[in-house]
Amino acid sequence: MTKLRVLSVFGTRPEAIKMCPLALSLRERPEFDSRVCVTAQHREMLDSVLETFRIAPDYDLNIMEPEQTLSTITGKILTQLGAVLRDCRPQIVLVHGDTTTTFAAALAAFYEKIPVGHVEAGLRTYDRWSPYPEEMNRSLVGRIAEYHFAPTAQNKANLEREAVGGRIFVTGNTVIDAMRYTVNDAPFACAELNDVDFSRKVVAMTCHRRENYGQPMEDIFSAVADLARAFPEITVVYPVHLSPTVQRAARAHLAAIPNVLLTDPLDAMDMHKLMDRSYMVMTDSGGLQEEAPALGKPVLVLRRETERPEAVAAGTVALAGTQRGDIFALSSALLTDKAKYDAMAHAVNPYGDGQACRRICDALAWGFGLSDRQPEEFRPRQQA
Ligand code: UD1
Ligand code: UDP
């Protein structure tokens, strides 16, 4: 049988966490010749994930520079990826999500007339400025892609409404597959975390989004400082993103507070274990909104909107916005109101069942005529 050559292209931490399990699945299946190209839009944060999943990329564009701009990332990828595509000659290029790597890699593949498969397709806020630039990136990739791997039925409905064309499959999110590798009871690799007392209430937080740079981030960090001072018995653990803008703001507001622990970015295993052992999560991250509900942890989203409404509907995720007073009120209520906490703290899995990678492999095999078995769709189990 002639194998289908698949090139997976990714560049940042979240893309890597969600694409590495897929690259491993593709490698295990006889129908595929799986290759990996990293743009390294992120460097240390990407390498940490590659190490966790033991993936050695076939191509590494190594583009990251300090305080890079959207244009420099896009320009470098467009210029360098064409040569990789001509060397590798894949029959399909897989991209993930909504980063600048996602958009530039999809465009580069289109320029080479290679079909694009979009993993984590169809998430939308329908506000072009929020999240910025991700909403535009994923919408544009939706137009380019010929295979759309939508995590949920709602994501598929968005794509159908936009009449993007191509084939749409509901697969679940590969992040739930990734968690099968990462969550366990072992000690943390990060020594500071082994000193945290998890019998106290621990709040795991992250914050990094570009649209939160400036005043929203100042307000978010002020609210977290207010919370830590008002509740000295809790511990806030915040692994700070390596973006210099985030580092400066986080350290200015939070470094001097004794019950706030600022760490370097964690590897994926530590991050998932941290959430699993925490009381609740506060975040502007996309991935954490999918992971924490699967672990039964309430999530306060530090944004005005979300493209992941499924867990909001299920009651485990609440939008806190970016106003200092609102964030303080909602987070302190979760610390003091047991009924409110219990109503949010139940495990839900609207985003996947750990089989997304298999479904994507099945869909590719079927789409390219290597199998006549039509792939099944992911359907979340009804929550009790
Ligand atoms: C990017 C994505 C965002 C995603 C986020 C995940 C875009 C436009 N944004 O945003 O969608 O949510 O990744 O974390 O694609 N840096 C390092 N080392 C690293 C990683 C980053 O030093 O390993 C620093 C560099 O100075 C870099 C800066 O962080 O210039 C910003 O990185 P960049 O990828 O441009 O933006 P993110 O905010 O990480
Ligand atoms: N994550 C991690 N270490 C950290 C912070 C986050 O491994 O210190 C993981 C997290 O569990 C999730 C992914 O990184 O899988 C989310 O990445 P991020 O928040 O940077 O991006 P987003 O999901 O918002 O695009």
Side-chain angles (χ1 to χ4, degrees), residues 365-379:
W366 179 69
F368 280 83
L370 304 174
S371 153
D372 45 23
R373 196 158 44 94
Q374 204 167 338
E376 53 154 36
E377 291 213 328
F378 163 65
R379 283 180 221 282

Side-chain angles (χ1 to χ4, degrees), residues 9 17 21 44 51 60 69 80-81 84 110 112 121-122 208 255 259:
V9 184
I17 290 174
E44 304 90 318
E51 205 174 298
D60 188 337
T69 66
Q80 294 184 40
L81 194 56
V84 169
F110 172 72
E112 296 295 323
H208 74 279
N259 55 333

Side-chain angles (χ1 to χ4, degrees), residues 103-233:
F103 166 62
L107 188 58
F110 172 72
Y111 284 164
E112 296 295 323
K113 299 190 175 163
I114 300 168
V116 171
H118 189 198
V119 181
E120 199 179 90
L123 282 68
R124 296 287 186 273
T125 60
Y126 294 107
D127 176 350
R128 62 169 58 209
W129 299 113
S130 185
Y132 167 82
E134 290 83 1
E135 177 72 5
M136 188 57 74
N137 286 340
R138 60 196 175 208
S139 306
L140 295 171
V141 175
R143 291 295 298 141
I144 294 173
E146 293 173 52
Y147 284 75
H148 310 266
F149 303 109
T152 70
Q154 203 157 335
N155 302 147
K156 178 180 177 180
N158 291 340
L159 294 166
E160 286 175 339
R161 209 171 25 248
E162 292 170 29
V164 290
R167 292 171 156 159
I168 308 173
F169 304 89
V170 180
T171 60
N173 197 307
T174 58
V175 78
I176 307 297
D177 302 36
M179 290 174 82
R180 292 164 65 199
Y181 290 85
T182 53
V183 182
N184 59 46
D185 295 330
F188 292 102
C190 169
E192 291 160 288
L193 290 186
N194 289 318
D195 295 333
V196 172
D197 179 359
F198 284 91
S199 67
R200 290 157 57 113
K201 286 179 180 164
V202 172
V203 178
M205 82 164 275
T206 73
C207 183
H208 74 279
R209 305 215 72 82
R210 266 184 165 75
E211 73 272 14
N212 277 340
Y213 282 7
Q215 196 57 47
M217 209 168 263
E218 303 283 325
D219 288 346
I220 290 167
F221 293 155
S222 300
V224 174
D226 294 344
L227 187 76
R229 290 196 177 101
F231 297 89
E233 70 281 11

Side-chain angles (χ1 to χ4, degrees), residues 12-15 17-18 42 45 48-49 98-99 120 134 175 178 205-209 238-241 263-272 274-275 283-291 303 308:
T12 66
R13 171 175 65 194
E15 296 165 78
I17 290 174
K18 292 166 166 181
H42 285 173
M45 288 161 54
S48 155
V49 184
D98 52 21
T99 71
E120 199 179 90
E134 290 83 1
V175 78
M205 82 164 275
T206 73
C207 183
H208 74 279
R209 305 215 72 82
Y238 175 13
V240 188
H241 189 293
T263 72
D264 288 335
L266 302 175
D267 70 35
M269 288 185 141
D270 272 3
M271 186 66 212
H272 292 175
L274 169 65
M275 278 189 283
T283 191
D284 67 357
S285 160
L288 266 70
Q289 291 178 58
E290 296 152 347
E291 295 159 348
R303 290 169 50 183
R308 293 169 170 87

